[in-house]
């Protein structure tokens, strides 16, 4: 790896619906994670100081099937697109999920991850 300057890692978009899209740790329900992605590169011989971690500065919005079932993995009726972080209403007051080390926001039937 003497000629490698760096590797850009995209550490998000792990799940297609209301999953933890940029979770750092995996859990029993959500096995993809930034931690495992980093480990796969370092286990292959890339030194950690060569890794550049990409993080999302946006959220993805879905419409929930039931606003009372609004956690990680909640059922949805539609995907409503990508939303810039600064356009997510109340983004700083979302729910922190300690098992995945990720955050989401449920507002009525709107879900942002």
């Amino acid at each position: 790896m003497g000629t490698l300057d760096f590797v850009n890692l995209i550490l998000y978009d792990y799940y297609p619906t209301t999953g933890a899209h940029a979770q750092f740790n995996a859990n029993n329900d959500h096995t993809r994670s930034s931690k495992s992605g980093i480990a796969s590169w370092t286990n292959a011989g890339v030194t950690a100081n060569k890794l550049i971690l990409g993080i999302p500065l946006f959220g993805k919005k879905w419409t929930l099937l039931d606003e009372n079932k609004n956690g990680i993995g909640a059922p949805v009726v539609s995907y409503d697109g990508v939303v810039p972080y600064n356009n997510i209403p109340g983004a700083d007051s979302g729910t922190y999920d300690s098992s995945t080390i990720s955050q989401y926001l449920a507002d009525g039937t709107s879900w942002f991850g």
Side-chain angles (χ1 to χ4, degrees), residues 62-75:
W62 286 265
T63 299
L64 294 168
L65 179 63
D66 178 350
E67 68 181 69
N68 297 309
K69 295 179 181 174
N70 60 18
I72 299 282

Side-chain angles (χ1 to χ4, degrees), residues 12 16 19 36 40-41 43-44 47 69 74 77 83 96-97 99:
Y12 50 89
S36 65
S40 68
W41 283 92
N43 290 341
T47 58
K69 295 179 181 174
V77 294
V83 180
Y96 176 73
D97 181 74
S99 69

